[in-house]
Amino acid sequence: MSEKYHIVTYGCQMNVHESEKIAGILCAMGYEETRRIEEADIIVFNTCCIRENAENHAFGNIGALKKLKKQKPSLLVVVGGCMTQEKGKTEVLKQKFPFIDIMFGTLNLERLEALIKQKKKERKRVVEIREEAGEIFEDVTPFRTSYPNAWVNIMYGCNNFCSYCIVPYVRGRERSRKPENIIREVQNLVKEGYKEITLLGQNVNSYGSDGTTGMTFSELLDAVASIEGDFRLRFMTSHPKDFNEDVVKVMQKHRKICRLVHLPVQSGSNTVLQAMNRRYTREKYLDEIKMLRSYFPEAEVTTDIIVGFPGETEEDYLQTESLVKEVEFASAFTFVYSKRQGTKASTMDAQIPEDVQKDRIMRLVELVNAFTRKKSEKYMGKTVEILCEDYDSKKNLYFGRDEFGRMGYFISEKNVIGKFVQLKVTKVNGISLFGELEKVKE
Ligand code: 5AD
Ligand code: SF4
């Protein structure tokens, strides 16, 4: 019987996809997946350090393994992800959790197999964290878990140094993958039947700006969208300082590209944006939205917003509210500012008290949700195209998303997972749509 692996993932889509790569390495070594942590022979924690609560969560879960490891000493406990890349964190992890067998970083993920083999030979704990990013590894085949959706990295790292953000410190400088490797990967995914491809990067608009690819992001997007086949194409994350009309023109050329842009604004106040080192103004952001909607009036925008950044006044916060009202985001990820060691913002005076932060986040969430609900109501009675992702056995319904990321639920007698279906919306509940299946695209 083969040995089993279990992966625990924290954080963003980037990490979810990295876990698919970790799973790919483990599968190639002969391990099989188990959803039950007690059954596993190897457990990998793919950590995130972008905010303190993600980190605390991981600390709690790793600590809880102590008992299992005692009962089953052959169990391999592995910790990877961006927390291990954080300055001083490996030492903390080593001291707090002496039962960790292997630690590796996001910058040397491809070394996992070698590290497991080394650990199996030696009794000593194996720790290998690379400080600088090396060559992009192209040899890992991810074990994808999200059919019919697939994520494809187009670049790694970030050069932006937003003053609150730890990502550039733990994920290294920006590196872009070669266009031919990206195009080949997408061609294969489409051949395998994947129906929605999302191009991933911390700042996709600066793809190729390291001069190594011979292509800009809009040229890459054009090339990927020109691949034959029936699939949707998305990209994230765009940075407002670099998002431009060239990209929108490519969106206009290809109906495959979803007319939804994830464009994190972070704040509606120019003072805060400047202190965040975002390098755009509220006015520039709003102009970009106007430009996008001049091409596609139906275009939707999602965003990320931080409240309680050091020095944020009530007036600044209200500027964020007014921007939310002006743009009418389809949805927004809202965060309370989290102080990250080593970032510029962590040394700023005027850190905002927790009760003020909490009050602002509650008001903001309510405002954002009101727009999301208002947008849902507009769907009533309309027919939408949904890509069926899965079956919800609790609700007894199939579900999937429309072009704008809106979740729709429906009854079907046939299994339609991986198919585009037409859904007539008959009920709207908060952010979810319910409807009758009208047509299945074969
Ligand atoms: N505190 C709160 N939110 C943060 N983000 C990044 N760093 C921090 C931080 N220190 C948010 C930003 C970013 C998203 C991925 O996470 O909004 O766009
Ligand atoms: Fe962090 Fe800014 Fe880079 Fe996004 S663009 S990963 S927020 S530094």
Side-chain angles (χ1 to χ4, degrees):
M1 207 177 63
S2 64
E3 293 194 298
K4 295 197 164 54
Y5 75 84
H6 181 88
I7 303 176
V8 189
T9 309
Y10 306 85
C12 60
Q13 199 52 60
M14 197 72 75
N15 258 24
V16 171
H17 184 43
E18 237 152 46
S19 287
E20 293 184 331
K21 292 184 188 172
I22 294 171
I25 295 173
L26 296 173
C27 285
M29 290 178 75
Y31 285 100
E32 268 175 32
E33 191 193 7
T34 173
R35 282 170 190 255
R36 300 189 45 206
I37 200 159
E38 325 75 70
E39 266 182 18
D41 300 287
I42 179 165
I43 300 172
V44 183
F45 292 94
N46 189 12
T47 61
C48 167
C49 62
I50 198 154
R51 282 172 294 275
E52 198 182 353
N53 52 7
E55 217 169 76
N56 290 344
H57 202 170
F59 267 108
N61 291 159
I62 299 168
L65 263 202
K66 191 173 171 185
K67 207 168 126 203
L68 195 61
K69 175 80 181 174
K70 230 184 201 153
Q71 288 165 354
K72 190 172 170 182
S74 66
L75 170 70
L76 284 183
V77 179
V78 185
V79 179
C82 57
M83 206 163 109
T84 60
Q85 295 280 166
E86 214 182 324
K87 221 170 172 202
K89 268 293 145 63
T90 0
E91 286 313 309
V92 177
L93 285 161
K94 273 187 198 165
Q95 275 166 18
K96 256 189 136 134
F97 310 118
F99 55 85
I100 294 176
D101 296 291
I102 300 171
M103 274 196 257
F104 68 105
T106 47
L107 301 181
N108 60 344
L109 187 140
E110 79 287 3
R111 290 272 304 146
L112 182 59
E113 176 173 359
L115 300 180
I116 293 172
K117 286 187 174 151
Q118 188 183 335
K119 174 65 203 172
K120 286 191 166 172
K121 261 198 253 149
E122 304 169 6
R123 297 194 55 181
K124 260 195 353 224
R125 171 154 61 195
V126 177
V127 178
E128 191 180 293
I129 317 281
R130 190 185 290 151
E131 294 220 342
E132 297 273 318
E135 289 267 296
I136 292 179
F137 47 93
E138 289 289 347
D139 296 340
V140 175
T141 309
F143 179 73
R144 298 185 184 269
T145 49
S146 309
Y147 175 84
N149 302 334
W151 286 281
V152 175
N153 278 111
I154 62 166
M155 59 201 296
Y156 300 91
C158 182
N159 286 353
N160 290 313
F161 290 93
C162 300
S163 64
Y164 50 81
C165 187
I166 199 165
V167 168
Y169 302 92
V170 293
R171 289 193 176 267
R173 294 295 66 73
E174 228 167 70
R175 288 97 61 208
S176 297
R177 281 179 76 194
K178 297 240 167 343
E180 56 270 28
N181 291 334
I182 299 168
I183 290 167
R184 197 177 322 113
E185 184 172 349
V186 177
Q187 278 169 337
N188 288 338
L189 288 167
V190 173
K191 258 190 231 145
E192 286 166 31
Y194 284 88
K195 293 288 165 56
E196 186 173 300
I197 311 288
T198 306
L199 306 179
L200 278 182
Q202 306 288 354
N203 174 7
V204 292
N205 308 103
S206 70
Y207 173 81
S209 55
D210 56 3
T212 59
T213 63
M215 254 195 202
T216 62
F217 176 62
S218 55
E219 287 163 347
L220 176 75
L221 189 65
D222 193 7
V224 174
S226 303
I227 294 172
E228 272 192 38
D230 193 15
F231 66 98
R232 278 182 188 160
L233 185 58
R234 301 186 190 275
F235 52 89
M236 68 184 288
T237 295
S238 298
H239 194 307
K241 86 175 162 64
D242 299 318
F243 183 70
N244 62 33
E245 198 162 350
D246 291 350
V247 175
V248 180
K249 283 189 180 141
V250 176
M251 289 170 77
Q252 189 183 38
K253 189 170 156 194
H254 301 275
R255 198 58 195 94
K256 275 182 185 135
I257 307 175
C258 297
R259 292 174 177 176
L260 167 78
V261 180
H262 184 61
L263 199 62
V265 68
Q266 313 299 358
S267 170
S269 150
N270 282 336
T271 320
V272 175
L273 286 173
Q274 197 175 11
M276 286 177 162
N277 190 29
R278 291 288 290 176
R279 288 177 277 172
Y280 54 85
T281 58
R282 172 195 176 93
E283 291 72 29
K284 175 169 159 56
Y285 186 89
L286 291 172
D287 280 350
E288 283 173 8
I289 304 287
K290 227 181 268 158
M291 180 270 291
L292 174 69
R293 288 183 172 152
S294 73
Y295 281 80
F296 322 113
E298 78 284 16
E300 292 286 6
V301 181
T302 56
T303 199
D304 296 347
I305 301 172
I306 299 176
V307 296
F309 184 80
E312 184 190 66
T313 61
E314 177 64 15
E315 181 51 40
D316 291 320
Y317 167 75
L318 290 175
Q319 291 266 313
T320 299
E321 279 201 359
S322 97
L323 183 131
V324 168
K325 287 179 195 155
E326 202 165 331
V327 179
E328 301 203 359
F329 294 109
S331 68
F333 296 103
T334 50
F335 307 106
V336 168
Y337 165 72
S338 172
K339 190 172 173 176
R340 305 282 68 206
Q341 283 264 303
T343 61
K344 184 148 180 258
S346 70
T347 63
M348 289 178 184
D349 299 332
Q351 301 280 327
I352 305 294
E354 217 179 296
D355 56 333
V356 177
Q357 289 183 322
K358 274 203 183 128
D359 175 63
R360 286 182 191 160
I361 193 87
M362 271 159 52
R363 285 149 69 199
L364 185 64
V365 167
E366 201 160 300
L367 182 68
V368 164
N369 287 348
F371 281 106
T372 310
R373 280 195 301 268
K374 187 173 126 190
K375 294 206 167 210
S376 295
E377 277 150 27
K378 288 203 189 137
Y379 276 93
M380 197 60 199
K382 294 219 172 103
T383 297
V384 287
E385 186 175 81
I386 297 275
L387 171 59
C388 180
E389 287 178 10
D390 211 344
Y391 178 72
D392 183 328
S393 53
K394 280 196 198 126
K395 291 194 173 84
N396 286 328
L397 294 170
Y398 283 92
F399 64 90
R401 285 168 205 276
D402 78 343
E403 168 180 7
F404 305 111
R406 195 54 75 110
M407 193 70 90
Y409 292 86
F410 58 97
I411 295 173
S412 168
E413 278 166 21
K414 273 199 321 202
N415 178 348
V416 289
I417 297 172
K419 293 199 165 32
F420 289 104
V421 304
Q422 301 286 326
L423 202 69
K424 171 113 196 241
V425 179
T426 52
K427 194 177 130 196
V428 172
N429 186 357
I431 56 167
S432 306
L433 314 173
F434 294 83
E436 277 161 22
L437 185 62
E438 281 191 331
K439 215 164 92 193
V440 179
K441 202 164 157 192
E442 292 301 338

